[in-house]
Amino acid sequence: MAGGESGAALRGLPPTIGRMTDFPRPAARMHGGPDALGMPAHDFSTNANACGPCPEALAAVQAADAARYPDAGYTALRARLAAFHGVEPGRVVMAGSASECIFRITAWVARQGGARVWLPDHAYGDYADAAAAWGGARAAQPADADLAWACEPSSPIGGTEPAYARWARAAAVKVLDCAYAPLRLEGAAPAVPADAWQLWTPNKALGLTGVRAAYAIAPQGQGGAADALRALAPSWPVGAHGVALLQAWTAPAAQDWLAASRATLRGWKDRQALMLQTHGWGLLPGAANFVCARPPQPLAALLPALRARGIKLRDCASFALPGHVRLGVLAPASQHALDEALRAQVKD
């Protein structure tokens, strides 16, 4: 341990690097999507908009000029995103992805000496992984933290985080992950605190998760903090295809398509929930385009059996919710395939 601390000091790195952390370092990061068996025929493991891809966004990405660099300052794009959200362009910080921005924000806080990190009991693993990389200490409450995360709607459950009110009052650097905000299917979202950062990743909403692009919005009056976060980024964090995606995201045609897709997803979600309940699955209440459920069968046998049939679900153990799975809402054809596979599982 002493060698690690000394090595960090010799390299001029902050003392947080190399120290013990309350967050376990992952052996491997867990995500949905393709795996060693390739692309599942019916991929319930990700939360992309199953109505997608958005035609306008897809056309923009396909027409992107990949032969040239984007503007390194993203001047026009930041102005467009700022107008879309009704903020000043200086508050918009470009990011390669939400995950990249999570690690960058954690690094920014750690470089200022912030070590105490709060995150929800059930949350995206990259929050904890970034804290572990910087030797973060787990804060018991948002009020005790230097950096506090929230996601609205939350993942994997899809509701409002029970500690949201306490998170909103904390004096820490607060970041609201808005990955699923455009895919909220019912109810109103809670108010965003004026002193909170917002992290936006439209690729899920547009059904184009393979295009990596994101942006953060700094709180009002924190232009210096936005500049500091930009300074920690490499040049051109967003490529030409990501720029095209984000430009399309702000266009009325894409927003109209998204609104129509939410109506479709509501019907698909009701159908999918009813099917799962007929198989004895317990569903947790949620408002987003996915469901979190507890099957009656042990996951150790169920998940490989379904995967062999081309169906992939998301094990929620990495969300600190063992015995549960998260299922993105898919079209009826995929729901039928899952229904048939579950019936076959019972017969076997």
Side-chain angles (χ1 to χ4, degrees):
M1 290 190 295
E5 295 266 353
S6 300
L10 288 172
R11 293 191 299 272
L13 296 176
T16 48
I17 290 289
R19 77 181 179 197
M20 295 297 290
T21 175
D22 295 337
F23 296 93
R25 296 181 186 273
R29 293 200 182 119
M30 298 294 296
H31 297 282
D35 51 27
L37 298 177
M39 176 63 72
H42 306 284
D43 188 6
F44 291 86
S45 71
T46 71
N47 293 336
N49 186 337
C51 295
C54 169
E56 291 78 11
L58 179 60
V61 169
Q62 290 174 331
D65 183 0
R68 294 174 175 82
Y69 290 109
D71 164 26
Y74 301 100
T75 308
L77 177 58
R78 289 197 296 118
R80 186 164 181 159
L81 292 169
F84 181 70
H85 288 280
V87 303
E88 302 84 7
R91 292 170 59 186
V92 178
V93 180
M94 306 311 304
S97 68
S99 293
E100 182 271 317
C101 202
I102 288 166
F103 274 77
R104 199 190 328 161
I105 289 173
T106 304
W108 170 60
V109 172
R111 285 174 60 87
Q112 300 176 81
R116 301 166 300 171
V117 180
W118 182 86
L119 48 96
D121 291 337
H122 311 297
Y124 180 42
D126 276 21
Y127 307 148
D129 292 349
W134 282 87
R138 186 181 291 273
Q141 298 292 336
D144 302 328
D146 300 304
L147 172 61
W149 296 95
C151 185
E152 168 55 42
S154 67
S155 180
I157 296 174
T160 296
E161 165 59 40
Y164 189 91
R166 285 183 282 127
W167 169 85
R169 293 192 299 268
V173 173
K174 297 192 291 285
V175 187
L176 183 63
D177 187 341
C178 303
Y180 303 110
L183 291 167
R184 172 179 276 276
L185 302 184
E186 58 186 87
V192 179
D195 61 343
W197 288 76
Q198 298 176 48
L199 177 56
W200 288 88
T201 48
N203 57 359
K204 291 184 178 67
L206 299 176
L208 286 163
T209 54
V211 182
R212 312 301 292 160
Y215 57 96
I217 301 175
Q220 177 72 39
Q222 293 196 25
D227 289 340
L229 197 60
R230 272 190 285 271
L232 288 175
S235 299
W236 298 288
V238 182
H241 297 93
V243 169
L245 177 85
L246 295 177
Q247 288 174 335
W249 157 246
T250 65
Q255 291 298 313
D256 290 346
W257 174 88
L258 178 58
S261 76
R262 284 193 291 264
T264 300
L265 290 169
R266 288 186 195 102
W268 288 356
K269 183 176 181 179
D270 290 344
R271 187 182 187 278
Q272 185 165 309
L274 180 60
M275 180 269 292
L276 293 171
Q277 288 171 329
T278 62
H279 288 283
W281 292 38
L283 273 59
L284 301 181
N289 67 317
F290 52 88
V291 295
C292 187
R294 186 180 187 97
Q297 308 96 323
L299 298 189
L302 176 64
L303 296 184
L306 292 177
R307 187 66 186 89
R309 291 175 172 268
I311 298 169
K312 186 178 181 184
L313 314 184
R314 179 70 154 85
D315 188 340
C316 287
S318 65
F319 292 103
L321 202 60
H324 291 73
V325 293
R326 191 192 67 192
L327 303 89
V329 170
L330 296 190
S334 291
Q335 295 179 21
H336 178 72
L338 176 57
D339 184 26
E340 291 295 305
L342 292 175
R343 292 180 189 279
Q345 182 79 3
V346 171
K347 292 178 183 178
D348 294 344

